[in-house]
Amino acid sequence: MDKSMNRNLPSVTAAVSLIALSVALAGCASPAHSADEKYYLVATNIKVPYWQTALAGLSKAATEMKGIRTELVGPDNFDPKAQHEEFQHTLTKKPAGILVSVSDPKVLQPDIDAAIAQGIPVITMDSDAEGSKRLLFIGTDNYKAGEMGGEVLVKALGNKGNVAVYTMPEQANLHQRMHGYTDVLASHPGIKIVQTIDIKGDPRIAFDTTMDMVNKKAIDKIDAFVCLEAVACPEIADVLDREKVKGKTVIAMDADDRTLQSIQKGGITATIGQKPFTMAFYGVQMLDALYHNKPQTLDKNWAQDSFSTLPTFVDTGVTLIDKTNVDAYTKERESATAKQ
């Protein structure tokens, strides 16, 4: 996402967006919920801590709204085809609404469009399918997340260093994070990205690639490691710890337990924490407002409608987590995700 595009996006915070949407669609009255009213979040890698935190947001919304049900579904690994099949299966259950984190826009866009055609509200969260007919996107401004990571990287390295980046290039959100990093690094020509590794959603690839760098002495030419997704940096930190490699900067993404523990031990420099709890919590409330107060048609180019009742993008923000605040963050997360 380029900076000019980012400035033009109709982006609002989650709280402001929910208030505006609720007023526009539902007025002040709380809707009466029926027993068959159920909202789904369709994702991949759903057992990882990130999605378990999102699940806590779903549960919190269900508890507060009284009468609705929620469920997190999807494959336990990164598998766009399996996510597509899960989405299609979800459609057969006649859901009240669907949140979906899009693993591959090419694979999931037809599913999203089919749901909209059936009158089922769909909101993308965490990872978008911008070309689809989804009603809006709620999640991180991934370009800004990349900028934040880039600034931390520059501060850690100064003006010189070689960087290895771990990513999954087919995911649009990771591409946007990369863009944020590269724009920051453009004004620091002494810092160069010398290797980009596609981990394909498999932490073993991150581990094996880093171990291979150690075995071939290529690690000596790498000053920093950047992870654009959640699973790679704990593996990198594990290799560096096992092999007693010191003095490397490691910038992670998200707040996996192993990532937080490594920050506490000094193995990971910092991580960019997203807010999956917030995404899921507000996503369900937005879907509920849309389900009970549907626009005349869902199949509309809302982004180009100057008088739309829907925002295009709800930015839930990011948190920089490092050694100075990791303990406080851990306590806050434990409190927020405790069983209701």
Side-chain angles (χ1 to χ4, degrees), residues 176-295:
Q176 290 163 1
R177 291 172 199 166
M178 185 70 157
H179 195 172
Y181 267 97
T182 56
D183 276 3
V184 170
L185 298 184
S187 56
H188 299 274
I191 300 176
K192 301 183 184 302
I193 296 174
V194 296
Q195 190 172 358
T196 301
I197 299 99
D198 180 1
I199 70 161
K200 305 181 190 300
D202 187 347
R204 294 171 298 181
I205 294 176
F207 183 94
D208 292 344
T209 301
T210 311
M211 186 63 78
D212 192 51
M213 290 180 187
V214 173
N215 292 336
K216 294 180 178 178
K217 308 297 183 184
I219 197 82
D220 298 338
K221 296 180 181 179
I222 301 295
D223 302 293
F225 298 87
V226 165
C227 303
L228 301 182
E229 47 61 64
V231 302
C233 269
E235 303 301 325
I236 294 166
D238 187 13
V239 171
L240 299 182
D241 182 55
R242 290 183 188 210
E243 300 301 315
K244 297 180 170 48
V245 177
K246 305 295 183 183
K248 305 297 183 183
T249 294
V250 182
I251 310 296
M253 192 76 203
D254 296 325
D256 182 280
D257 287 340
R258 292 175 64 207
T259 296
L260 299 178
Q261 291 162 9
S262 188
I263 290 173
Q264 290 168 326
K265 295 175 183 177
I268 290 178
T269 310
T271 192
I272 313 301
Q274 300 184 87
K275 298 181 179 179
F277 180 96
T278 308
M279 295 177 202
F281 179 81
Y282 278 105
V284 170
Q285 295 205 19
M286 290 176 177
L287 284 173
D288 182 70
L290 286 161
Y291 175 72
H292 288 280
N293 300 272
K294 283 184 183 175

Side-chain angles (χ1 to χ4, degrees), residues 12-16 18 41 50 53-58 60-61 99 125-126 138-140 273-286 314-319 329 336-337:
V12 289
T13 65
V16 172
L18 181 61
L41 168 55
Y50 183 89
T53 301
L55 177 58
L58 289 181
K60 176 73 171 176
L99 286 169
M125 66 166 272
D126 175 67
I138 177 169
T140 301
Q274 300 184 87
K275 298 181 179 179
F277 180 96
T278 308
M279 295 177 202
F281 179 81
Y282 278 105
V284 170
Q285 295 205 19
M286 290 176 177
V314 178
D315 180 8
T316 49
V318 290
T319 305
Y329 174 87
T337 57

Side-chain angles (χ1 to χ4, degrees), residues 1-11 141 143-144:
M1 183 187 300
D2 120 55
K3 285 183 177 178
S4 60
M5 288 174 61
N6 200 44
R7 282 195 297 268
N8 292 331
L9 262 175
S11 171
D141 184 327
Y143 178 85
K144 286 183 179 178

